[in-house]
Structure formats: C-alpha cells, structure tokens
Amino acid sequence: MASADQVFSEHPESSARARMRVRVPSVAERVAEELRYQLAEGFLVPGAKLTEATIAEDLGVSRNTVREAFAELAGERLLTRQPNKGVFVATLEAGDIHDVYTVRRAIEVSSIRTGGSPERIAAVRAAVEEGKLAAAANDNEGLGSANQHFHGAIVDLAESNRLTTIMAQILAEMRLYFHKATVDAHFYSDWLTENEQICSALEAGELERAGDLLLAYLNRSEQQQTAIHGA
C-alpha cells in the first residue's frame, strides 16, 4: 500500500487540496477574538450594551458577522442577550468564581512548573515591568492590563495554542470580576510584589517554588474574589 507521502508526491493536486483543508478562522471568530481582547483589557465593562451596527462599522465587517461573534461569546457566558433589549456584557455570578479558579490553577501552575524558552520567560518579566511602570504612574487600569498580561504570559510558557485559547476566555471572565474589585485603588498593586517573586523564581529556574508561589497566589485571589462578590 502506498504511503501518504507517496500519494502526495505522485499526485501534487491532492497535496494542494489537503493544504486547502487546513482550517482558517472565520471572520466572525476573529471578531469574537477582538471582543474577547477588549473584555480582557477592561475596555468593555459589565452591563455595557453592545450594538451590532456600531461594532460592524468599527471593525469593518457585516452585522451578520457581528451577530455570529455575539453568539460565540454568549456561549462562553461573556455576553448575554436580553429579549427586546439587546446584547450586554455579562455580569458573572459569584458561583462561577470557584470554577474559573479551578481552571486557572490547572493551566497556570502546570505551565510555570514546566518552565519555558528564554523568550517566553522574558515576556513574563516584561509584564512585571509593565506593572511597575503603571504603579509608578498611579495608573490602576494599566496595572490591571499588566496583571492580565502577566498571567497570559505564564500560560504562554507552555507554547500550546489550545491553552492560550482557553486562557483568553478566562482572562476575559476575570476582568469582569475585577471591575467590582477595583473600587479599591490598591487592588492590583497588592499583587505586584507577588508577581515579582513568582517571576524571579521562574528566572532562577526554581520551577517548583514558582509553581508553589503561584498556587498560593491563586488560592488567596479566589478567597478575595469570593469575599467581594459574596459566597
């Protein structure tokens, strides 16, 4: 029996067709990715109303494409559709907190314990330094974004597209929780010192210690969010 390589070499048109079957994200998926990014960065706040026409114009896509993106994000519970009212940024329930942190512990701690390339570790350090600059400028929103970048960079250590995709949704959900927490101006700055400690352990190759520090960090963060949002 001929191997796949032989078939492709003898029939180049088959190889071309196979390459064409490689999945390319749809426009709607790219719109959903952009909205997910805006949620994670804090540009879209809980309860904000989103309109198809405005987003379609801003992104240069059709309203039908935006509608598809809304459906995808509603499936992730990042948006809600209210009959006769429209589409709104979700306000997450307190009961979701433990579930979100269970996922974070699973993927963030395992990612940091495996270490990463010098470039990936440098990205973690860059996020810490970004946070320091924001703190020096009393930029609380900038601190929030730097903190998101820090945790995203930790998962990127694993160099897994699937984990990065999962983390993008988690970061968007977390920013929805953090909007309520940031009534306290010191919310993010309180975590900056721990980000530095975790990053330093990672840079020193102390991966188990880095994982232990991150696990304790996430446990305390969950307790804090539960207290803020109610049991």
Side-chain angles (χ1 to χ4, degrees), residues 153-170:
I154 285 175
V155 173
D156 286 344
L157 290 167
E159 299 194 36
S160 164
N161 290 333
R162 288 175 174 82
L163 288 180
T164 296
T165 297
I166 293 169
M167 192 59 179
Q169 179 184 344
I170 292 296

Side-chain angles (χ1 to χ4, degrees), residues 2 52 77 81 116 138 140 219:
E52 292 176 3
R77 297 192 298 180
R81 185 179 295 278
N138 293 316
N140 202 43
N219 288 340

Side-chain angles (χ1 to χ4, degrees), residues 5 22-23 38-39 62 100 108 133 136 154 156 185 201 228 231:
D5 288 342
V22 174
R23 188 176 180 279
Q38 293 190 25
L39 287 163
S62 70
V100 168
E108 289 190 51
L133 290 173
I154 285 175
D156 286 344
I228 291 170

